[in-house]
Amino acid sequence: MVITRLGVDADSKISLLEAQIKAAKKVRADAKAKANAKKGEVVVTEDNILAGTDVWNLHGAVNRDLAIQHMYASNWRSGESTLVVARKNGAVEVVSKDSGESLYTFSEPEFNAPFSVKSNGKTISDRRYVGIGASDNHFITATNMGEVRYQSYGDDEQSDSAATLLRLQIDACKMRVHDKRASIFAVGGREQELTVWDAETAKSAGSSTEFSKPSGTPIFKSKNVGHDFLDMRVPVWITDMQFIDDNTTNPTIAVSTGYKQIRIYDAKAKQRPVHDWEVSKHLINHILVSHAKPELFFSDNEGNLQKMDLRTGRIIGGYKGIAGAVKAIALSEDGTKVAAAGLDRFLRVYEADGMHRMLHRAYIKQRVSQVVWDWEHRDVNQEEIDQLDADSIWESMPKLESSTEPKKKGSSKRKAIAVSED
């Protein structure tokens, strides 16, 4: 596990074929840059792609057992900026964003215990996290086996005090928390409809130390769409979801499916989606709702990153240069830049609008699993950099002392020169 201002999955081995492909891409990119240099066009190449980009390891070393499966940016109890990470070995850790110091660690009991369960025509034999969220005092996790833990940090790192342990349907694919309230979460998966729960009210029916079915009812539970044109049932496969608005009672949620659709659910309208758009030719694995505009970014398992209008469902842009499935997407605070990373081990930053140009690219050396944009470190554009440089120059210049003697109206030397010229 390595954090380079983002969580990465650990795999330091690079095959000869990948190295050859990378070298061939570099040759083609450089050739294209030279061909367009005469036209005055600026083309991103391997030599100038990292201009203005700073990449460093914040915490950790390469270790597959400590690979980060999910990551969430939050504030610690003291107000310190932290990253809450869920690891492959079942540990939940709170890491300081500035120093990389581990502030809290919790290990899920029996996370790596061997098991085998058949579900939806396949065998599940390993447990993994499908989502994580956090607030100042609590964290929430969910696994593919439908096990949801909502727990306070507490004084004892291994304590189960004030924990809510819910057992939902197995074969879950994704869990997301509400940005305004971490106890509210949405979950869905294979043959598992979208459900929204409040962990503070959905108490488990069993003991506080074992996962059990919730005693209450969900805030919202969706219904499948109607039968297709052959009057056959449409299969359910929810791959990702995100809350669109701030409403915690009747939320509006965007959902992606493994069957190429983007759906919008409005809890106060009906249980079936209010919008159902088929927007891709491939499985959609990640979505990101923009906080700046009514837009949604989505990626598929073929390396396509696109943007759509949430009001009409129309595709309004795409981002080129990605090879392999996109594993994570993040948006800057002002909504002008979007970052994407995936199986090709590159982190790319694009213009969110306009020409959608690639602004930065960094080779991370490991398979990237999660990306979180640090909003506390605000981007500075070139005009602001020039202004800061000018201000520093003026501040460094020595100040001239004012003279108390009255100024003379003319110079005797100038007068003498003038007379001699006559």
Side-chain angles (χ1 to χ4, degrees):
M1 185 283 305
V2 178
I3 298 181
T4 62
R5 283 290 176 191
L6 51 99
V8 301
D9 195 347
D11 184 6
S12 59
K13 297 180 180 179
I14 303 176
S15 65
L16 177 61
L17 179 60
E18 290 176 334
Q20 291 174 345
I21 294 174
K22 183 175 179 292
K25 288 182 178 180
K26 180 181 183 301
V27 171
R28 289 196 297 268
D30 293 342
K32 185 178 180 180
K34 293 178 182 179
N36 289 275
K38 298 179 181 179
K39 303 178 183 179
E41 297 180 3
V42 179
V43 179
V44 176
T45 64
E46 192 73 25
D47 296 330
N48 64 12
I49 193 69
L50 291 179
T53 305
D54 193 8
V55 180
W56 71 97
N57 289 340
L58 174 65
H59 176 66
V62 176
N63 190 336
R64 289 192 176 187
D65 293 335
L66 299 179
I68 293 176
Q69 295 180 337
H70 285 275
M71 181 167 61
Y72 190 86
S74 180
N75 290 326
W76 185 239
R77 291 173 293 192
S78 59
E80 182 178 359
S81 298
T82 59
L83 298 173
V84 185
V85 299
R87 302 187 184 276
K88 182 180 178 181
N89 63 353
V92 176
E93 185 176 2
V94 181
V95 181
S96 172
K97 194 184 297 182
D98 297 325
S99 63
E101 178 186 0
S102 179
L103 303 177
Y104 174 87
T105 303
F106 175 84
S107 295
E108 187 68 57
E110 300 182 358
F111 186 86
N112 295 314
F115 70 97
S116 180
V117 177
K118 289 186 177 181
S119 176
N120 301 317
K122 66 175 184 178
T123 301
I124 303 175
S125 58
D126 62 329
R127 186 179 276 105
R128 58 181 175 82
Y129 286 110
V130 296
I132 190 170
S135 63
D136 295 345
N137 300 314
H138 293 78
F139 71 88
I140 182 171
T141 60
T143 69
N144 59 335
M145 296 302 295
E147 299 160 339
V148 178
R149 174 182 290 271
Y150 178 70
Q151 179 173 311
S152 63
Y153 292 117
D155 297 328
D156 184 4
E157 294 184 349
Q158 298 296 331
S159 175
D160 286 341
S161 61
T164 299
L165 307 180
L166 306 177
R167 183 177 295 279
L168 307 179
Q169 189 174 342
I170 66 172
D171 210 356
C173 293
K174 188 69 176 181
M175 185 275 289
R176 288 255 199 171
V177 299
H178 200 287
D179 291 336
K180 300 299 181 181
R181 189 174 171 185
S183 64
I184 297 179
F185 65 94
V187 63
R190 285 181 178 269
E191 295 304 328
Q192 183 178 163
E193 289 289 350
L194 174 71
T195 53
V196 181
W197 297 85
D198 188 348
E200 293 182 350
T201 58
K203 300 297 184 181
S204 56
S207 63
S208 60
T209 59
E210 295 181 356
F211 291 98
S212 59
K213 293 183 178 180
S215 58
T217 58
I219 297 176
F220 172 77
K221 183 176 182 179
S222 67
K223 283 186 177 181
N224 195 9
V225 296
H227 291 187
D228 60 12
F229 67 98
L230 295 176
D231 198 25
M232 297 183 65
R233 176 185 175 274
V234 177
V236 177
W237 186 5
I238 295 177
T239 57
D240 199 0
M241 75 286 293
Q242 188 173 358
F243 293 92
I244 296 178
D245 56 8
D246 296 338
N247 192 332
T248 58
T249 305
N250 295 304
T252 304
I253 308 170
V255 170
S256 65
T257 74
Y259 302 107
K260 316 168 191 177
Q261 297 103 352
I262 297 290
R263 293 169 178 166
I264 307 298
Y265 290 89
D266 189 351
K268 62 179 177 292
K270 57 181 180 179
Q271 290 180 280
R272 287 192 168 94
V274 294
H275 296 293
D276 186 4
W277 301 303
E278 185 170 332
V279 297
S280 177
K281 297 181 180 179
H282 308 284
L283 181 152
I284 301 174
N285 49 16
H286 289 287
I287 62 173
L288 175 66
V289 177
S290 173
H291 53 269
K293 297 180 180 179
E295 298 172 348
L296 179 142
F297 301 86
F298 67 92
S299 63
D300 57 34
N301 60 349
E302 295 293 331
N304 299 309
L305 176 61
Q306 295 177 295
K307 181 175 64 173
M308 64 173 288
D309 192 330
L310 276 175
R311 298 165 295 187
T312 62
R314 185 172 63 90
I315 305 298
I316 55 179
Y319 305 86
K320 298 181 179 180
I322 304 175
V326 177
K327 301 293 291 184
I329 316 170
L331 194 64
S332 63
E333 184 178 10
D334 56 5
T336 60
K337 301 180 185 67
V338 59
L343 295 183
D344 62 353
R345 309 185 184 201
F346 277 95
L347 170 67
R348 294 176 175 88
V349 179
Y350 296 91
E351 289 179 335
D353 301 316
M355 299 298 293
H356 299 168
R357 294 178 302 169
M358 186 191 303
L359 303 177
H360 304 289
R361 183 179 66 179
Y363 186 59
I364 308 299
K365 298 182 181 180
Q366 289 90 25
R367 291 196 301 266
V368 182
S369 60
Q370 291 292 307
V371 174
V372 173
W373 201 293
D374 189 1
W375 286 5
E376 294 187 356
H377 292 73
R378 188 177 64 88
D379 293 338
V380 181
N381 57 36
Q382 190 60 41
E383 294 182 359
E384 292 175 322
I385 293 175
D386 296 340
Q387 184 62 40
L388 292 174
D389 293 340
D391 293 341
S392 63
I393 292 174
W394 281 108
E395 292 177 358
S396 62
M397 294 177 62
K399 296 182 180 180
L400 297 178
E401 298 181 358
S402 59
S403 177
T404 57
E405 297 180 359
K407 294 183 178 180
K408 297 181 180 180
K409 294 184 179 180
S411 174
S412 58
K413 185 176 182 180
R414 173 170 289 187
K415 287 183 179 179
I417 294 174
V419 170
S420 63
E421 289 178 349
D422 289 339

